[in-house]
Amino acid sequence: MGVENSAVLAWVNKTAQLTKPERVVWLNGSEEEYRQLLAEAVKGGQLIPLNSERHPGCYLHRSHPNDVARTEQCTYVCTSGKEEAGPNNNWIAPDEAYSTLNKLFDGAMRGRAMYVVPFLMGPKGSAFSRVGIQLTDSVYVAINIKIMTRMGAVALEQLGNSADFVKCLHSLGTLDPQHRYICHFPQDQTVYSVNSGYGGNALLSKKCFALRIASWLGNREGWLAEHMFILGIEDPKGKVSYVAGALPSACGKTNLAMLQPPAKYKGYRVWCIGDDIAWLRIGADGRLYAINPEAGFFGVAPGTSMKTNPNMMRTIAKNTLFTNVAMAPDKTVWWEGLDLPASTDGFVDWQGKVWQPGNGQKAAHPNSRFTTPITQCPVYSPHWEDPQGVPISAILFGCRRSTLVPLVQESFSWQHGVYLGATLASETTAAATGATGVIRRDPMAMLPFCGYNMADYFNHWLKMGQRLTRPPKIFRVNWFRLDEQGKFVWPGFSENIRVLKWMIDRCQNQGDAVKTPVGYLPTVDALEGKELSLSEKEWKILLSVDRPGWVDAAQKQSEFFGKFGERLPPQLVDEQRALLERLNEKPVPARS
Ligand code: GTP
Ligand code: SPV
Ligand code: MN
């Protein structure tokens, strides 16, 4: 490829001198090249071809057992001052980080190829879009980026002679978890990652660039980079309204983004624009517009089935990479949540070890994933390509909470909505290493992904609201309330359409609601809830306000807010105080 951009050439040459690869391979993104990469990965043992009839064009990858999820404890934001990174990030001074990393990268690619992977985040020619270039010695990573982004010549064309691209350097190194680093240098638009080959640690286009670096840029330039899906909901009259929503990792974004409404919701359709990341800007008309910077899904496999997410099952029917799922002897894949076949003889688990149901082991790793192109999704929205993005009517912040948080709350104002996002807490999942099921603060589902001090981030959200003349309404949801037996009370999945529809109704000044201290809550009728076989007790779990529980929760927020010191926007403390006042008032059920 005749690359002429001198900044790109200089960076590639300098890196090759440091990492000393056997060869440098420039990727142009063509289909032929993609086939070659797949063949190379099969030959090298990184990919196993799957059953060509049942899974055409599909492959299985097994990552190292110590490298199966994001490692937040090895992830750093290296701004010049620690305060800029904030209490929400691990921090190393840039000089020190570069010095450690340069030692680890010295000769790290010896005997391996270094792939030069240019990629474009966002539609071609869009003012939202940005270019990145990843240098990596992992063919698996290069193949993933081909699926996940607009990769190759298209990115270099958009870049032209400009030096404005994000430098993403990645090496598998020795996969030594003791020396694993994922370092971000927002002031240099640079990311270095070494000793991991997995997901968000290694596909640097995703969380590292499109969230950590992009959120930092967005704060400077007046836009937002968020851990959000984007969907369009079409009503029977054909009107499409757009919703963007953040939920923490493995809490339901992908499922919601391509939901298939139940038969009863005739005429309603959901269109998918993105499932994980949104870049949002204010349009000339004062509305908020969103694009999905990505071109593929890196989704959670366990739990995905024809019952829960038929659109994803159809999406992954071909041309898909599976990572850390189980395999049957006929080279078909399996994971928890799919029906168990009559015979499981010869099944191997995600590590390739013999597996039998009931042997006490998971067949697929709980954070096993698939990588698949968005254009294969049966309900993918053609507006995914719109350079100006889609106008957002509603924003949703969601959490996984077995107690306290109701099914859905509508905020009273933008500021109250920002407070609902900022005080989000959720039970941890297998998407990151560490204990699961532990409640932690995860503001806007961005705790692991915000590339700067979250106090400044909250302030940025508040300022965005002031600039929006037609701001979206902000909601909070929780699909995960448990009953006394530990079962999910809300049926979730396709039935979540009821909540989405109510949200859109509310944006159009319709839909019944009850004013409560924590926001507007829907009535059972507004959710057409009589159709669901839920008892009165179950509705109470979903739609009531546990006043003492909320007083306790609101008081505990002081500790969290305290971490940000003087930098915390006072509006959030005002909202906390207002909530406590509302909770102490006598309950008056009122219709809005
Ligand atoms: P990341 O890709 O990690 O950012 O995750 P995500 O937010 O896209 O989550 P995803 O949609 O992949 O769902 C994660 C897990 O939650 C899967 O096992 C789903 O089956 C399950 N899940 C999703 N939606 C629902 C729901 O409405 N109810 C219940 N009970 N589980 C759900
Ligand atoms: C998440 O953890 O939120 C993901 C997967 O979407 S990863 O790419 O590993 O970040
Ligand atoms: Mn995610």
Side-chain angles (χ1 to χ4, degrees):
M1 207 161 45
V3 174
E4 281 163 21
N5 183 311
S6 55
V8 174
L9 287 170
W11 184 56
V12 171
N13 289 336
K14 189 177 131 197
T15 306
Q17 273 165 27
L18 174 68
T19 60
K20 305 176 182 64
E22 190 180 80
R23 60 200 167 104
V24 176
V25 184
W26 289 76
L27 301 189
N28 61 28
S30 72
E31 286 308 307
E32 189 193 336
E33 171 191 273
Y34 181 60
R35 281 192 294 275
Q36 280 166 12
L37 290 172
L38 289 168
E40 206 172 300
V42 169
K43 198 165 152 226
Q46 291 95 341
L47 292 184
I48 301 170
L50 292 170
N51 186 309
S52 59
E53 266 165 42
R54 299 274 304 279
H55 303 294
C58 296
Y59 297 82
L60 169 67
H61 173 77
R62 294 193 185 116
S63 68
H64 191 282
N66 78 23
D67 191 27
V68 292
R70 284 182 293 99
T71 43
E72 294 176 3
Q73 71 282 11
C74 311
T75 303
Y76 299 86
V77 170
C78 307
T79 40
S80 45
K82 189 171 170 26
E83 272 292 292
E84 287 163 82
N88 46 295
N89 281 303
N90 299 314
W91 177 84
I92 313 179
D95 286 352
E96 189 191 329
Y98 278 128
S99 144
T100 305
L101 289 161
N102 284 332
K103 279 183 215 132
L104 290 168
F105 274 102
D106 190 352
M109 298 190 186
R110 226 175 241 127
R112 300 180 191 159
M114 179 172 90
Y115 301 93
V116 180
V117 194
F119 58 87
L120 175 62
M121 302 305 283
K124 199 176 157 185
S126 163
F128 284 85
S129 298
R130 298 265 171 166
V131 172
I133 299 183
Q134 179 154 345
L135 308 182
T136 179
D137 56 6
S138 163
V139 67
Y140 165 78
V141 165
I143 291 169
N144 269 276
I145 296 177
K146 160 74 180 159
I147 301 175
M148 292 304 296
T149 71
R150 295 152 169 100
M151 189 275 271
V154 61
L156 291 177
E157 271 159 35
Q158 170 117 357
L159 187 63
N161 289 321
S162 164
D164 185 12
F165 63 95
V166 176
K167 299 181 177 77
C168 300
L169 173 55
H170 168 252
S171 173
L172 294 170
T174 58
L175 293 181
D176 174 4
Q178 299 302 321
H179 295 98
R180 186 170 292 163
Y181 288 91
I182 299 100
C183 290
H184 304 71
F185 304 89
Q187 283 135 335
D188 303 338
Q189 291 205 46
T190 297
V191 183
Y192 276 34
S193 163
V194 65
N195 287 324
S196 168
Y198 190 81
N201 283 348
L203 315 177
L204 304 186
S205 56
K206 200 172 182 44
K207 297 310 197 316
C208 299
F209 174 172
L211 288 179
R212 296 193 193 94
I213 300 285
S215 62
W216 188 89
L217 288 169
N219 185 38
R220 288 212 145 180
E221 299 169 3
W223 51 283
L224 292 166
E226 296 297 327
H227 190 202
M228 287 181 172
F229 67 80
I230 308 164
L231 64 80
I233 166 166
E234 182 177 329
D235 70 16
K237 292 194 191 113
K239 180 177 160 47
V240 183
S241 311
Y242 293 95
V243 181
L247 293 107
S249 301
C251 290
K253 290 180 297 300
T254 304
N255 279 269
L256 199 61
M258 56 188 72
L259 169 163
Q260 183 165 302
K264 142 88 199 12
Y265 276 73
K266 217 168 155 231
Y268 282 90
R269 296 189 67 163
V270 167
W271 296 99
C272 178
I273 296 213
D275 81 324
D276 199 48
I277 298 177
W279 287 356
L280 305 117
R281 283 175 184 261
I282 300 173
D285 60 358
R287 301 184 73 182
L288 190 61
Y289 284 79
I291 63 149
N292 169 15
E294 299 190 288
F297 306 123
F298 183 62
V300 176
T304 309
S305 70
M306 278 316 271
K307 247 189 282 163
T308 57
N309 193 352
N311 285 322
M312 187 54 96
M313 291 303 283
R314 292 180 191 116
T315 308
I316 62 180
K318 57 182 182 186
N319 307 326
T320 297
L321 301 185
F322 294 91
T323 300
N324 295 338
V325 300
M327 190 170 68
D330 63 354
K331 295 217 159 42
T332 56
V333 290
W334 191 83
W335 51 77
E336 280 73 14
L338 288 177
D339 288 335
L340 203 60
S343 164
T344 53
D345 287 351
F347 267 48
V348 287
D349 69 9
W350 62 277
Q351 298 192 64
K353 294 184 185 150
V354 174
W355 180 84
Q356 273 299 326
N359 75 350
Q361 304 290 319
K362 297 273 189 208
H365 187 276
N367 190 39
S368 55
R369 300 244 167 191
F370 44 73
T371 319
T372 194
I374 181 171
T375 49
Q376 288 188 180
C377 180
V379 298
Y380 119 89
S381 164
H383 295 292
W384 169 69
E385 308 269 14
D386 284 1
Q388 77 281 9
V390 294
I392 300 299
S393 300
I395 286 178
L396 157 173
F397 294 117
C399 54
R400 184 184 282 268
R401 290 290 296 272
S402 49
T403 60
L404 189 68
V405 181
L407 179 66
V408 55
Q409 306 158 242
E410 176 192 332
S411 62
F412 298 121
S413 63
W414 179 270
Q415 179 173 306
H416 180 230
V418 171
Y419 168 80
L420 289 184
T423 54
L424 204 68
S426 197
E427 289 150 21
T428 51
T429 65
T433 54
T436 60
V438 180
I439 296 181
R440 72 163 181 184
R441 296 266 160 211
D442 192 352
M444 280 83 169
M446 280 288 278
L447 178 74
F449 309 121
C450 182
Y452 61 107
N453 191 317
M454 271 198 141
D456 300 350
Y457 170 76
F458 299 147
N459 203 27
H460 182 37
W461 262 89
L462 293 166
K463 281 192 312 209
M464 288 288 287
Q466 286 160 9
R467 286 170 52 213
L468 286 162
T469 51
R470 294 161 70 191
K473 267 191 193 284
I474 301 180
F475 298 82
R476 177 149 80 185
V477 304
N478 175 25
W479 313 141
F480 299 98
R481 288 296 294 266
L482 298 179
D483 65 14
E484 283 155 8
Q485 281 75 45
K487 270 184 41 203
F488 291 118
V489 175
W490 179 244
F493 300 103
S494 65
E495 301 295 349
N496 292 333
I497 189 75
R498 295 170 193 275
V499 176
L500 287 178
K501 180 179 173 291
W502 179 73
M503 286 169 40
I504 298 301
D505 287 347
R506 295 293 294 165
C507 292
Q508 295 166 354
N509 297 318
Q510 293 162 358
D512 277 342
V514 180
K515 191 171 184 185
T516 81
V518 300
Y520 295 107
L521 265 56
T523 58
V524 174
D525 283 343
L527 298 175
E528 295 166 68
K530 298 239 165 67
E531 295 160 8
L532 298 171
S533 49
L534 291 175
S535 66
E536 208 167 303
K537 197 169 153 200
E538 287 170 319
W539 280 115
K540 205 163 162 228
I541 293 175
L542 296 171
L543 293 180
S544 59
V545 176
D546 165 10
R547 284 180 178 244
W550 280 106
V551 170
D552 184 48
Q555 281 164 350
K556 283 190 181 138
Q557 287 161 7
S558 300
E559 190 191 324
F560 166 66
F561 284 162
K563 285 189 188 175
F564 297 97
E566 293 289 296
R567 257 175 132 112
L568 186 83
Q571 293 94 319
L572 295 181
V573 182
D574 293 346
E575 286 294 336
Q576 179 194 21
R577 198 177 306 120
L579 170 61
L580 281 165
E581 276 165 18
R582 289 194 301 268
L583 286 163
N584 289 325
E585 281 164 12
K586 279 222 159 66
V588 236
R591 293 219 151 191
S592 85

